[in-house]
Amino acid sequence: KLEADSAVTIFMSRHDSVVNICCGTTGHCTGLRPPNREGRLARDMKAAAQSIELDRVRAAWQGRISGCLLGKPLEVLSFREGLDGVRRYLGAAGALPLRDYVPFVDGTAVGGEVRACCLGHIERAEPDDDSDDTLLALALVEEHGSGFGTEDVARAWLRLLPAGATWTAERAAYRTMLNRMADHFVNGDPPGFDLRECSDNDYNEWIGAQIRADLYGWVCPGRPALAAELARRDASLSHRGDGVHAAAFVAALGAALA
């Protein structure tokens, strides 16, 4: 909990701006395209934002940060060696069954680059795409309320998300966007190509869009349909089919748990 709290302070300091933008109380929107505050979605977002409970959002963010710290040391190992490799490592570390953060054992398949996420070495929440994506979704909602579209998601990536911090479907979508987009797309011009080409990649039904979906549930408590719609717009930049449906499900579930 202490490790998660170090990341909570920054995230929660932005809570009021999220509620204000969702509710339309800021007087204007600084986004590239103002949300349609008169539309159904804007009205739903306003109603949903009035129901946001600060303590529950804090708990959700703490859970995400704690989960990232817990899983990060074993992520690459699990890809390379599967469940058996994870069991071997935890057994060698004297941590099977696992009841705390993952211990670091030098000279093993768990590399030194994740030492800072291991038991006894944690001083902060380390950067990770699982938490970066939540902050990116927060920035979209702050800037556009419920009025953002997939083009706004793309521009947010270009402005706020380093290409080197993306993986699989997101990196493939980013590469297509950089290769095909008009020079001033990032500044508000049309894309200059069919943005749907970004989701034509080998990973478009992987889990990346699910990772990006949580916040839409958090800011739409009791409005699962609205949360799912926002998640679909985000997911559609890089994913298709079940990759999009799963993101909508995750967002809707978070909203339904209110």
Side-chain angles (χ1 to χ4, degrees), residues 40-63:
R40 174 181 60 83
L41 282 175
R43 291 194 299 271
D44 286 350
M45 196 96 181
K46 178 176 180 179
Q50 299 286 3
S51 304
I52 293 175
E53 296 181 28
L54 186 61
D55 288 344
R56 300 193 72 173
V57 176
R58 177 187 295 273
W61 180 240
Q62 286 175 330

Side-chain angles (χ1 to χ4, degrees), residues 52-98:
I52 293 175
E53 296 181 28
L54 186 61
D55 288 344
R56 300 193 72 173
V57 176
R58 177 187 295 273
W61 180 240
Q62 286 175 330
R64 173 162 281 277
I65 293 299
S66 298
C68 288
L69 287 168
L70 178 63
K72 195 173 180 71
L74 300 176
E75 184 174 16
V76 175
L77 174 64
S78 69
F79 291 158
R80 292 176 177 171
E81 301 184 24
L83 180 58
D84 288 342
V86 171
R87 285 174 172 159
R88 284 193 297 271
Y89 178 83
L90 293 176
L96 193 63
L98 188 64

Side-chain angles (χ1 to χ4, degrees), residues 177-194:
M177 186 158 49
L178 290 174
N179 286 337
R180 301 294 309 279
M181 71 180 191
D183 287 345
H184 292 285
F185 172 52
V186 67
N187 298 320
D189 282 2
F193 75 108
D194 187 345

Side-chain angles (χ1 to χ4, degrees), residues 96-175:
L96 193 63
L98 188 64
R99 292 292 183 265
D100 206 327
Y101 290 108
V102 175
F104 180 75
V105 181
D106 205 4
T108 64
V110 173
E113 68 275 8
V114 296
R115 182 195 297 263
C117 296
C118 291
L119 184 65
H121 300 278
I122 299 172
E123 297 181 355
R124 65 175 189 175
E126 292 298 311
D128 187 88
D129 58 332
D130 290 28
S131 50
D132 293 345
D133 290 338
T134 305
L135 293 173
L136 189 62
L138 174 62
L140 275 165
V141 173
E142 285 182 325
E143 192 169 17
H144 300 285
S146 62
F148 71 84
T150 304
E151 287 188 11
D152 297 308
V153 177
R155 293 188 184 102
W157 285 24
L158 292 166
R159 296 197 321 266
L160 302 173
L161 181 64
T166 62
W167 306 95
T168 60
E170 285 74 17
R171 183 169 291 185
Y174 215 134
R175 183 183 300 113

